[in-house]
Amino acid sequence: MALSISISISISLLLIFLSHFPSSHAEPFIGVNYGQVADNLPPPSETAKLLQSTSIQKVRLYGADPAIIKALAGTGVGIVIGAANGDVPSLASDPNAATQWINSNVLPFYPASKIILITVGNEILMSNDPNLVNQLLPAMQNVQKALEAVSLGGKIKVSTVHSMTVLGSSDPPSTGSFAAGYQTGLKGILQFLSDTGSPFAINPYPFFAYQSDPRPETLSFCLFQPNAGRVDSKTGIKYTNMFDAQVDAVHSALKSMGFEKVEIVVAETGWASRGDANEVGASVDNAKAYNGNLIAHLRSMVGTPLMPGKPVDTYLFALYDENLKPGPSSERAFGLFKTDLSMVYDVGLAKSSSSSQTPSGKVTSSGWCVPKKGATNEELQASLDWACGQGIDCGTIQPGGACFEPNNVASHAAYAMNMYYQKSPKQPTDCDFSKTATVTSQNPSYNSCVYPGGGGGAAGSKAVMNKYVSSDKVEKKNGAIEPNVSSSLSFLLIFLSLIFHV
């Protein structure tokens, strides 16, 4: 009996221990918007299979289509469902309406379908309808109470979605603040989000920022491509991409109202793959660059300058093109996938592209591309984001990959730079990265992390220790020390031997 109890306790402890190891495919911060303003969408069951073939972990619906929610049952995909703007008045005025909404749209599916968030309304503050704006918070409160009545309070969060126009100031990011006309209404909403642990959901679109400032340097800044960067005059922080600048402006706005601890969720962001003649920047190349580099940036786990160390939960817009959406052509061209389930362009979302294999094809380079001494973390992060957005396999430097440790920008950038260089024509300009990289004859491979290159001799030669690996421990920005995975695995083996020696 004692042996049985001991083994049971030990196995429980082991499961807790193992839960701290990252999965190479676990990317809960990447989601996608699933719009339905179309007449040619594939069946929900086919979409569910498509999502399971990708690293997308969350889906946002604009409504609560029961066929889609049911199709996603058992997939583990987190689901955001929405109460439409037209539902807000009844939800606000009648608690029974909120109860009925939960009874109809949540209880028949949960928990088999992993509903994680309910958004009440979409960009209501922009509606210019004062009555609807005033009804938003009461509607959110009644939905929250309805969830609590069925013991789902806290398990399913409640929020609403805003456009970036709620900000009155966003440049530089440290001066971000909400427009004066929205602050009174927002204060109650922010207090609700803070009290319930729910996120502030917003829609930043560098695509539209570029359209209002169509200079070449702005395009590079928006697409996470190498650029001179923009310095926040108040903090001295250099921003190398528009996404971080916009998200940090939202963070500053929340802080200015005393709610800096409220989590930010990017409910929508994307780039159109085509547009009308007057829609500057709308192209397949730019859409692939933006979405691919954004995904690489999120996977790098670097966060933003004001919120370092964790990626912002981000829902890409959109899963499919929606052929019935009104407006300019770009409105019907944000899809990542065609309705025949093929990719519009490849941004590395397929699970097979997140593996830790080296690129196919014979390597003929006579060296390895690595960062130059003196390159800053900001420069290397920009190069890392750009390289991983060019179709190379960066799965090896993601959690669980052979080159994830040491988990720092310099090491990850070194691997990504070299991967890009090895797949390129190997011209000197292919290992430039805005003057931050150089070709070396020293093999930077270490332990089980293999850098392709070296004229075909890399695999068989004895590798020197990668200069970016300083120890078997990695110091994080908050000062905490994270043990190397191999050291932890050694401990795990010892732990297992103790269990079965009992």
Side-chain angles (χ1 to χ4, degrees):
M1 183 69 175
L3 176 61
S4 175
I5 294 173
S6 176
I7 291 176
S8 177
I9 293 172
S10 298
I11 290 175
S12 297
L13 290 171
L14 175 60
L15 291 174
I16 293 171
F17 179 83
L18 288 175
S19 71
H20 289 82
F21 282 88
S23 164
S24 60
H25 297 314
E27 294 172 347
F29 42 81
I30 297 178
V32 69
N33 285 269
Y34 185 173
Q36 296 175 266
V37 187
D39 60 5
N40 60 347
L41 297 178
S45 59
E46 293 301 310
T47 296
K49 292 177 184 177
L50 171 65
L51 291 170
Q52 288 181 289
S53 73
T54 73
S55 55
I56 295 169
Q57 293 290 302
K58 299 177 182 177
V59 169
R60 178 188 170 211
L61 307 180
Y62 291 84
D65 187 316
I68 297 175
I69 299 172
K70 187 175 181 179
L72 292 171
T75 63
V77 173
I79 308 167
V80 179
I81 60 176
N85 290 6
D87 295 331
V88 169
S90 62
L91 292 174
S93 62
D94 185 3
N96 290 327
T99 298
Q100 183 57 46
W101 198 94
I102 296 299
N103 289 344
S104 299
N105 300 302
V106 175
L107 295 186
F109 312 106
Y110 185 90
S113 296
K114 190 180 175 183
I115 299 170
I116 57 175
L117 176 67
I118 298 170
T119 56
V120 179
N122 187 50
E123 299 186 353
I124 281 183
L125 295 187
M126 303 297 103
S127 68
N128 296 319
D129 182 341
N131 290 328
L132 191 61
V133 170
N134 290 335
Q135 291 168 327
L136 178 57
L137 178 56
M140 294 169 66
Q141 291 169 329
N142 282 340
V143 170
Q144 177 69 25
K145 290 174 183 175
L147 286 171
E148 291 171 353
V150 291
S151 301
L152 293 180
K155 296 178 182 177
I156 299 175
K157 304 294 186 180
V158 178
S159 188
T160 189
V161 179
H162 307 279
S163 76
M164 283 293 288
T165 51
V166 296
L167 295 185
S169 172
S170 61
D171 186 25
S174 62
T175 64
S177 62
F178 294 110
Y182 300 127
Q183 289 188 15
T184 300
L186 276 171
K187 189 169 183 62
I189 292 172
L190 293 176
Q191 188 64 59
F192 170 85
L193 299 179
S194 178
D195 292 343
T196 59
S198 298
F200 182 82
I202 194 156
N203 300 337
Y205 275 94
F207 172 67
F208 296 120
Y210 172 62
Q211 289 192 321
S212 65
D213 180 17
R215 294 175 296 161
E217 56 267 35
T218 302
L219 183 61
S220 297
F221 188 66
C222 289
L223 297 182
F224 297 84
Q225 293 174 339
N227 63 88
R230 299 182 181 183
V231 177
D232 186 316
S233 58
K234 301 294 184 181
T235 63
I237 293 172
K238 179 188 280 190
Y239 284 84
T240 58
N241 66 81
M242 179 69 78
F243 179 84
D244 281 356
Q246 290 185 326
V247 172
D248 273 357
V250 176
H251 175 75
S252 295
L254 291 171
K255 184 177 181 180
S256 72
M257 293 187 68
F259 295 99
E260 65 179 301
K261 292 185 179 180
V262 170
E263 178 188 0
I264 296 171
V265 164
V266 172
E268 284 182 27
T269 190
W271 199 284
S273 60
R274 65 181 185 278
D276 295 326
N278 63 344
E279 292 189 279
V280 63
S283 72
V284 169
D285 286 345
N286 287 345
K288 179 179 179 179
Y290 177 73
N291 286 309
N293 291 338
L294 171 59
I295 291 167
H297 183 54
L298 296 172
R299 285 172 172 167
S300 74
M301 310 290 283
V302 72
T304 71
L306 296 184
M307 297 179 290
K310 74 176 290 289
V312 177
D313 279 12
T314 299
Y315 292 79
L316 303 172
F317 188 85
L319 185 58
Y320 301 116
D321 285 345
E322 297 174 79
N323 66 338
L324 298 182
K325 289 193 76 172
S329 295
S330 63
E331 287 292 322
R332 297 176 289 283
F334 277 86
L336 297 170
F337 292 89
K338 300 175 183 177
T339 53
D340 65 2
L341 305 180
S342 63
M343 297 178 187
V344 177
Y345 46 82
D346 187 359
V347 291
L349 284 173
K351 283 183 178 177
S352 59
S353 68
S354 297
S355 67
S356 57
Q357 299 175 355
T358 56
S360 59
K362 184 177 179 181
V363 174
T364 59
S365 169
S366 59
W368 296 266
C369 181
V370 296
K372 282 183 179 179
K373 184 178 180 181
T376 67
N377 276 352
E378 290 82 4
E379 292 170 331
L380 293 179
Q381 183 64 52
S383 296
L384 168 62
D385 294 341
W386 184 83
C388 287
Q390 302 308 302
I392 65 169
D393 180 4
C394 287
T396 308
I397 53 176
Q398 293 168 27
C403 303
F404 177 68
E405 298 288 356
N407 181 16
N408 60 55
V409 172
S411 181
H412 291 181
Y415 186 86
M417 287 172 165
N418 185 65
M419 289 288 279
Y420 174 79
Y421 178 65
Q422 301 303 334
K423 289 190 69 175
S424 71
K426 287 93 178 177
Q427 300 296 326
T429 53
D430 297 323
C431 183
D432 180 80
F433 293 95
S434 299
K435 311 298 183 186
T436 64
T438 186
V439 175
T440 179
S441 60
Q442 280 197 319
N443 187 347
S445 302
Y446 59 96
N447 299 335
S448 61
C449 176
V450 178
Y451 280 55
S461 63
K462 183 178 180 181
V464 298
M465 178 60 70
N466 184 335
K467 69 178 181 178
Y468 302 108
V469 182
S470 56
S471 71
D472 66 346
K473 293 182 179 180
V474 180
E475 186 163 352
K476 293 186 173 181
K477 292 183 179 179
N478 61 6
I481 299 295
E482 178 178 301
N484 180 281
V485 171
S486 60
S487 301
S488 299
L489 287 173
S490 298
F491 171 78
L492 176 57
L493 292 174
I494 296 171
F495 183 71
L496 284 171
S497 69
L498 289 174
I499 290 176
F500 295 106
H501 209 62
V502 176

